[in-house]
Every structure is written in structure tokens, then in C-alpha cells.
Amino acid sequence: MTQNALGVEFELRLSENPKSEQERAAVLANPGFGNHFTDHTAVVDYTVDSEGKGGWHDARIEPYGPIAMDPAAAVLHYGQEIFEGLKAYRHADGTVWTFRPEANAARFNRSARRLALPELPPEVFIESLRRLVAVDKAWVPTNEGESLYLRPFMIATEAFLGVRPAHEVSYRVIASPAGNYFGDIKPVSIWLSEKYARAGHGGTGEAKCGGNYAASLAAQLEAEEHGCKQVLFLDPTDDYAVEELGGMNIFFLFTDGTLVTPALNGNILHGVTRDSILQLATDRGLTVQERRITIAEWRQAVADGTLAEVFACGTAAVINPIGELKTAEGSLVTPELPEDSVAMSIREQLLGIQTGKVEDLHGWLTQLA
């Protein structure tokens, strides 16, 4: 790959049939989440040569569309793939920024190592976002709280049937306008999964790969049958310690001002939002603990009144309070959120930083366009 003043040089192969201004406006009027996609995609290929040396090449921006893939492509048979998720926000002056992409790049490579995929240079990761947003800037929503969701992913494309790391890989980024998450946030009910586990020790729990999410779907269906929007997974090998939700990390605020989240143990995803909350909570003077917390401790804290708030966090919803944990043995109900709840206050601060309305004291923002 060649370099330019900004980093990697991406060849531009622009679409000859982009959406019209009217079509784009119709999408942006009600984008939802993950339903519509921009006109282009960023692509970088990786190949291992006959001498066993691998390298990235052919960085490009090309029209969004179906991926031509051999039916024997390794990703289809052995699930060798990873992905990321982050957002781009349009600020008041029209510029477009994203939040902590270096952290996403680092997690992407952590996932790559676990799935035996090649690591992508962080500068290529960030430049791919910058180049894609540059050509599809018109797709970044302008309404309050909306964003352009960016989905980098890597798939094994080599055509072969054999259990080994693929010698041909494709890294890609697609983008999707996302609706408003600033609206009224209501506490949700979640279901305690006692039949299924999300991950096992030594497995792929801390990797952001599709297999983890596929493995959570049966439990998610069970949760929906009980009127819940999310499912909570425990570690049955460690006294039923709390791990995380199907796609979100979890926090507990106690009445003494202690904020607790399960410690990263190899099973839990290294959430960028999770890490940001830990920093902002520390800035506020809260006592922050990353430690083991069991379902028994949760029950006891509800019983003795020492549990003040429970909330989940992730890229899509940012922060959402949890009002009730439903279990086969009954419910654990969190006290009603006060107007000055820590969860909603940190959510407002975090979103303010991302949208440029609150000062970024930690250098978390990166301009894309």
C-alpha cells in the first residue's frame, strides 16, 4: 500500500449509481438502526504468498454491494471473522468526528489474534474510516442525537476446506445512518440465562466475533418469551459470577457511591463505552471497582437496600438503565431512578463529548471529515 500525507492511500472507485439526493433524504428522515447503507465501502485485501509471507494490499473505496465469494470460502465453513462498531457524529460546524477509534483498532487486533486473522495496522483502520466518511459525508445525519454507524469487519475469503488460518482475507467497512438515541430512555427488564452460557474460559468471549453473538440468540429468544429486551449471562464455573449481557457490559452503583463492573476475565468484551464510563466516573470522584460480582451479591444488595442503580452500556444505546432482572425464581427490582441518576448523568456527558457539546478533556475525539 502506498502512503500519502494523511496515511494510507486508498484508490477511489466511486459508484456510478449513488442514491439520489431525494432517496438519501427519505432514508435520513427515518434511518432506524442498521436498515440502510451508504453508497460506498472501504476494502483492503490480505494475502499470504508462496513463501508464507503475508501482507495487506489494494486499499480502495468502492461501491457498496454484494461480495463475490467462493462457496468454499473459509468464513462460511469455519467462522473465521471479526467486526467492530463505532459512530461518526456531525458537529454543529458541519465537521464529522468519531469517538476513540484507536481503542476500536486495538480491540479489533485483539480479536484478530484470537481468531488467527492478520492484524491490521491501526493507521489503516482509522484511515479506512476517514476515507469512507469523506466520500459518503452526505449520509451523516444532521438531526439531534443521530449518527453514522461504522461497521469494520474482517472475513477469511480463501476457498478451501481445511482447518487452518486462511491465506486470503478481506477487511471492509460499511456505514449505516442511525436514528436518535437521545430520546426518553426507560429502564428495561432483562432475563437471567441459567441454561445457556455466552462464553467459556479459554474461548472467544473477549473477541468481537459473530460466533459469540450467534451463540447468544437462543438465550435472547428465551428472554423475549419472558418479556425482556436483553439477556444476562453468568459464569457457572465461578459461583455464578455476573459477566455481561448479550451485547452490552453491565454496571452496579451502590448507595455508598461505589460503581462496580465485572472484571475483564477473558470472557468479557473490552467495551470502549465501558472503559469510558470508568474514566468519567473516576473523574467525578466515584469509587470505581472492576471486580467479581455474583448473582448472590446482587440479590443481597436488593434485599438490604444498598443497590442504587444498575445499567448496561454499549456503542448503540450508549447507556440504558436496568429496572428489573427476571429469573425463574422471581424478580430483582432496582429502585426507581432519581432525577439526578449517575447513569443518565454520565450518559449525557458521554454523548455531549461525542457530539462536540461537552469539552473533550481526554482527547477521545478524532476528526474524520
Side-chain angles (χ1 to χ4, degrees):
M1 292 181 293
T2 58
Q3 303 278 327
N4 64 11
L6 294 176
V8 176
E9 182 64 61
F10 279 73
E11 179 186 352
L12 295 183
R13 305 175 187 175
L14 299 184
S15 173
E16 296 180 357
N17 299 292
K19 292 287 195 301
S20 68
E21 185 175 343
Q22 292 75 19
E23 290 174 309
R24 188 172 61 248
V27 169
L28 294 178
N30 184 26
F33 184 83
N35 299 322
H36 307 279
F37 300 92
T38 67
D39 294 308
H40 297 91
T41 179
V43 186
V44 191
D45 295 322
Y46 179 91
T47 305
V48 176
D49 62 23
S50 58
E51 297 180 354
K53 297 179 181 180
W56 293 99
H57 58 90
D58 294 334
R60 60 195 183 275
I61 300 296
E62 65 182 28
Y64 179 94
I67 300 173
M69 188 181 299
D70 194 290
V75 65
L76 302 177
H77 300 271
Y78 307 110
Q80 201 183 5
E81 68 82 39
I82 58 173
F83 68 96
E84 269 300 322
L86 61 166
K87 291 178 178 178
Y89 291 92
R90 189 184 297 275
H91 287 193
D93 62 359
T95 58
V96 179
W97 300 72
T98 193
F99 181 76
R100 302 191 67 184
E102 300 86 357
N104 290 97
R107 186 172 65 181
F108 196 66
N109 280 335
R110 185 183 301 113
S111 298
R113 290 191 294 272
R114 182 61 185 86
L115 273 292
L117 286 162
E119 293 186 41
L120 184 75
E123 63 271 19
V124 177
F125 181 94
I126 295 173
E127 190 68 8
S128 68
L129 308 179
R130 186 174 279 121
R131 292 300 177 181
L132 179 58
V133 170
V135 298
D136 282 345
K137 183 179 178 180
W139 283 94
V140 182
T142 58
N143 294 326
E144 180 78 9
E146 297 182 343
S147 63
L148 184 67
Y149 181 78
L150 302 171
R151 170 54 63 88
F153 63 101
M154 189 188 299
I155 57 175
T157 54
E158 182 185 3
F160 78 103
L161 298 181
V163 184
R164 62 160 173 78
H167 292 168
E168 295 175 11
V169 168
S170 181
Y171 164 76
R172 294 170 176 264
V173 187
I174 56 177
S176 174
N180 190 349
Y181 283 96
F182 279 79
D184 292 336
I185 301 297
K186 298 179 180 179
V188 298
S189 295
I190 62 174
W191 174 252
L192 177 63
S193 177
E194 298 180 83
K195 180 180 179 181
Y196 301 102
R198 177 186 168 275
H201 294 287
T204 60
E206 69 176 12
K208 198 167 178 66
C209 61
N212 291 343
Y213 293 81
S216 74
L217 296 179
Q220 180 66 35
L221 290 175
E222 187 180 74
E224 292 172 4
E225 290 173 359
H226 290 84
C228 298
K229 292 186 176 294
Q230 265 287 356
V231 60
L232 175 74
F233 292 100
L234 306 177
D235 181 357
T237 70
D238 186 19
D239 197 24
Y240 297 98
V242 174
E243 292 199 327
E244 64 176 281
L245 278 64
M248 305 175 79
N249 296 115
I250 188 168
F251 280 85
F252 302 84
L253 179 69
F254 292 86
T255 53
D256 65 357
T258 301
L259 185 66
V260 176
T261 193
L264 300 175
N265 61 1
N267 293 355
I268 298 172
L269 189 68
H270 294 232
V272 177
T273 306
R274 172 190 182 276
D275 185 69
S276 303
I277 291 170
L278 291 172
Q279 181 61 62
L280 295 179
T282 300
D283 294 346
R284 290 165 176 245
L286 293 174
T287 300
V288 174
Q289 296 179 356
E290 297 179 74
R291 64 169 174 84
R292 174 177 171 274
I293 180 169
T294 66
I295 195 69
E297 181 181 352
W298 189 344
R299 286 195 173 100
Q300 183 60 44
V302 170
D304 62 23
T306 57
L307 185 63
E309 300 178 31
V310 185
F311 59 92
C313 68
T315 299
V318 186
I319 290 177
N320 206 114
I322 295 172
E324 178 184 20
L325 174 67
K326 292 185 178 182
T327 80
E329 300 174 5
S331 294
L332 298 177
V333 179
T334 305
E336 185 174 346
L337 283 180
E339 292 185 4
D340 60 345
S341 74
V342 169
M344 298 308 292
S345 177
I346 291 180
R347 184 178 191 273
E348 183 178 355
Q349 181 183 7
L350 191 55
L351 287 167
I353 294 170
Q354 292 171 342
T355 56
K357 297 178 180 180
V358 172
E359 186 179 1
D360 175 19
L361 298 176
H362 296 285
W364 283 340
L365 296 179
T366 294
Q367 185 172 355
L368 297 180

